[in-house]
């Protein structure tokens, strides 16, 4: 009998959702389509054991729908672990809208998207991510209560990016303490890749501390704008990873730590805001460990934003937001030490703590159901 050989790519095509490499037992994946507004969105709900799945909406001009689905799956899973490691009663979710936020985002499209979020009855709560602004969330709020990241004028906690940046700064300091014996970043050479909302706010924190900052971005106008405000140098080369530096801060998109870059990275510490920095978590996490590079796990140190929006659900104020965000310093140090003790990558160490919290809650929830 002839054996049919089916390659991996064909298998993924035949099993487009549950067969995706990024599929990780997601509870629900919702495809939203609206002909009139041109909305095409995917909402990934990874896990709701700890609470409703909260995560931002990203609007991006994906090359194809596979990329969009992959992003929704990867990002929503990341949110599960981010909230669990931060100790928040939230599950993990994320939405992606396919399209160019600059030219295709209309109020009608955002309202229709809000209605789709509403139809999930609070199982998914949205917020802003790349391509979204606080004003978009204010608009979504007019059709559903299941949205956070609302402006302060409308009673929300406002733009989460400065808090995200502050958390990244705390995580970076902890990683510096671990790697260099001191958390003072004065004169440390730091490369910030991507100077959008979070990147610029991180530059401000670093600049106040007297770090030697290099910035890179694909948007030249942004580079010049930020250079005019802070004491920074624009990186003019085309292979940032290969530069001599103390700290690399990825603050653009994910997967910048990959097979191609890993062999070149000279940084002693990696600490940045971008989600999913490791192209392959297991493999690249371990390779970083072998190379002696101290990697502060992204989902741990970029949790400031979710701490900020969670305040809207739990009604806590700025003081508590700052306290919880500053605690990222302690958690990062603990995780870095755990990784060393257990001989695992720092990513794995953070993941294990988050997973054990989710497992404990699952058990508690099911015991509650039995009693
Ligand atoms: P943003 O869209 O404001 O900024 C991203 C910046 O990266 C832009 O200036 C863009 O031009 C630049 N960029 C894109 N591709 C690049 C490349 N290849 N090289 C260099 N620069 C590039 O987004 P943001 O809100 O600042 O978020 C940055 C990252 O942090 C994202 O990965 C996001 O998911 C993550 N994050 C953000 C928050 C938040 O509160 N905003 C919270 C957690 C995680």
């Amino acid at each position: 009998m002839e054996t049919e050989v089916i390659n991996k790519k064909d298998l993924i095509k035949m099993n487009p959702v549950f067969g995706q490499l990024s599929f990780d037992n997601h509870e629900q994946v919702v495809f939203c389509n609206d002909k009139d507004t041109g909305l095409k969105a995917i909402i990934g709900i990874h896990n709701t054991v700890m609470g409703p799945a909260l995560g931002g909406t990203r609007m991006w001009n994906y090359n194809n729908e596979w990329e969009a689905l992959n992003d929704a799956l990867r990002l929503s899973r990341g949110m599960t672990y981010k909230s669990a490691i931060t100790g928040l009663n939230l599950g993990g979710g994320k939405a992606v809208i396919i399209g160019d936020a600059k030219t295709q985002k209309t109020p009608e499209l955002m309202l229709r998207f809000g209605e789709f979020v509403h139809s999930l009855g609070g199982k998914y709560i949205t917020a802003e991510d790349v391509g979204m602004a606080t004003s978009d969330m204010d608009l979504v709020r007019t059709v559903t209560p299941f949205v956070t990241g609302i402006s302060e004028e409308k009673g929300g906690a406002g733009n989460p990016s400065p808090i995200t940046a502050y958390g990244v700064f705390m995580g970076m300091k902890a990683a510096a303490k671990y790697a260099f014996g001191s958390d003072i970043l004065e004169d440390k050479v730091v490369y910030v890749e991507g100077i959008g909302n979070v990147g610029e706010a991180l530059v401000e924190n670093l600049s106040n501390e007297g770090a030697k900052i290099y910035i890179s971005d694909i948007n030249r106008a942004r580079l010049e704008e930020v250079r005019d405000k802070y004491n920074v140098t624009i990186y003019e080369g085309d292979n940032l990873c290969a530069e001599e530096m103390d700290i690399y801060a990825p603050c653009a998109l994910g997967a910048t730590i990959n097979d191609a870059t890993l062999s070149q990275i000279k940084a002693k510490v990696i600490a940045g805001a971008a989600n999913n920095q490791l192209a392959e978590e297991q493999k690249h996490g371990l390779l970083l460990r072998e190379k002696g590079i101290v990697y502060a796990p992204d989902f741990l140190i970029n949790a400031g934003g979710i701490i900020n929006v969670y305040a809207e659900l739990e009604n806590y104020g700025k003081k508590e937001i700052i306290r919880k965000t500053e605690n990222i310093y302690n958690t990062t140090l603990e995780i870095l030490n755990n990784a060393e003790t257990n001989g695992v990558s720092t990513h794995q160490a953070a993941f294990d703590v988050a997973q054990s919290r989710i497992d404990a809650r699952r058990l508690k929830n099911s015991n509650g159901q039995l009693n």
Side-chain angles (χ1 to χ4, degrees):
M1 201 175 80
E2 227 177 88
T3 318
E4 202 183 346
V5 180
I6 304 173
N7 70 34
K8 223 179 190 177
K9 268 193 183 153
D10 288 337
L11 259 180
I12 291 172
K13 272 188 197 151
M14 279 187 266
N15 301 290
V17 179
F18 303 124
Q20 279 285 309
L21 291 180
S22 312
F23 185 77
D24 178 50
N25 283 312
H26 287 66
E27 288 177 13
Q28 202 174 355
V29 182
V30 184
F31 293 84
C32 317
N33 178 60
D34 185 63
K35 189 166 150 280
D36 293 341
T37 58
L39 173 74
K40 288 209 182 316
I42 305 171
I43 302 172
I45 298 177
H46 177 249
N47 191 293
T48 56
V49 168
M50 303 287 284
L54 195 153
T57 296
R58 174 173 294 191
M59 187 159 184
W60 191 253
N61 213 358
Y62 293 99
N63 286 319
N64 54 58
E65 290 172 16
W66 296 107
E67 254 186 41
L69 175 60
N70 193 46
D71 224 16
L73 292 173
R74 267 169 67 95
L75 291 166
S76 57
R77 175 179 179 270
M79 293 308 295
T80 298
Y81 293 100
K82 185 184 304 200
S83 286
I85 191 81
T86 312
L88 308 179
N89 290 320
L90 291 172
K94 200 95 178 181
V96 300
I97 298 178
I98 301 171
D100 186 337
K102 285 199 189 85
T103 57
Q104 288 168 276
K105 189 171 66 179
T106 60
E108 294 74 25
L109 179 139
M110 288 311 300
L111 288 171
R112 191 70 191 96
F113 173 69
E115 286 168 1
F116 277 110
V117 171
H118 192 66
S119 72
L120 294 169
K123 195 171 180 186
Y124 168 67
I125 302 173
T126 197
E128 61 212 71
D129 192 62
V130 177
M132 288 291 142
T134 309
S135 54
D136 295 313
M137 295 306 117
D138 285 350
L139 199 54
V140 169
R141 182 66 184 84
T142 63
V143 291
T144 181
F146 307 125
V147 53
T148 55
I150 307 294
S151 66
E152 285 175 289
E153 304 87 77
K154 299 258 162 56
N159 177 10
S161 302
I163 298 291
T164 300
Y166 187 53
V168 170
F169 182 61
M170 287 293 123
M172 186 184 282
K173 273 177 150 308
K177 172 88 181 155
Y178 187 87
F180 310 122
S182 162
D183 62 15
I184 296 166
L185 300 177
E186 190 180 3
D187 289 335
K188 288 278 177 278
V189 176
V190 185
Y191 276 65
V192 181
E193 180 180 42
I195 37 153
N197 291 314
V198 181
E200 179 180 349
L202 178 63
V203 164
E204 186 178 354
N205 283 292
L206 288 166
S207 168
N208 291 340
E209 183 131 336
K212 291 193 174 130
I213 310 160
Y214 289 79
I215 54 173
S216 98
D217 202 291
I218 47 173
N219 182 337
R220 186 76 208 176
R222 271 302 285 161
L223 284 168
E224 287 166 8
E225 201 182 314
V226 173
R227 185 210 36 213
D228 293 346
K229 283 204 231 169
Y230 309 95
N231 185 15
V232 297
T233 307
I234 295 177
Y235 175 61
E236 302 285 2
D238 58 4
N239 192 8
L240 180 150
C241 275
E243 298 298 326
E244 286 292 347
M245 68 183 85
D246 295 304
I247 302 171
Y248 165 44
C251 296
L253 297 180
T256 57
I257 302 163
N258 53 46
D259 284 342
T261 56
L262 239 161
S263 56
Q264 306 179 48
I265 295 177
K266 297 206 180 72
K268 290 148 204 93
V269 165
I270 300 178
N275 283 311
N276 300 328
Q277 290 167 27
L278 306 179
E280 289 176 58
E281 292 172 2
Q282 301 281 343
K283 176 180 169 187
H284 297 132
L286 274 176
L287 282 171
L288 285 171
R289 179 180 158 76
E290 278 168 22
K291 284 188 68 145
I293 298 170
V294 178
Y295 169 64
D298 49 9
F299 65 96
L300 162 60
I301 72 167
N302 72 11
I306 192 127
I307 291 171
N308 196 60
V309 297
Y310 189 53
E312 291 176 26
L313 302 177
E314 293 287 300
N315 285 320
Y316 56 76
K318 269 274 175 292
K319 223 169 146 188
E320 182 60 9
I321 292 173
I322 298 291
R323 190 197 66 75
K324 280 186 159 59
T325 306
E326 285 180 343
N327 196 42
I328 288 175
Y329 180 100
N330 298 325
T331 316
T332 306
L333 261 186
E334 258 169 53
I335 292 296
L336 298 178
N337 284 314
N338 276 0
E340 190 52 44
T341 310
N342 299 324
V344 296
S345 73
T346 57
H347 178 90
Q348 190 64 46
F351 182 88
D352 288 348
V353 170
Q355 187 65 57
S356 66
R357 284 186 186 157
I358 296 166
D359 293 345
R361 181 69 63 85
R362 193 192 307 275
L363 194 66
K364 202 170 152 206
N365 291 351
S366 62
N367 284 343
Q369 270 165 15
L370 291 176
N371 294 334

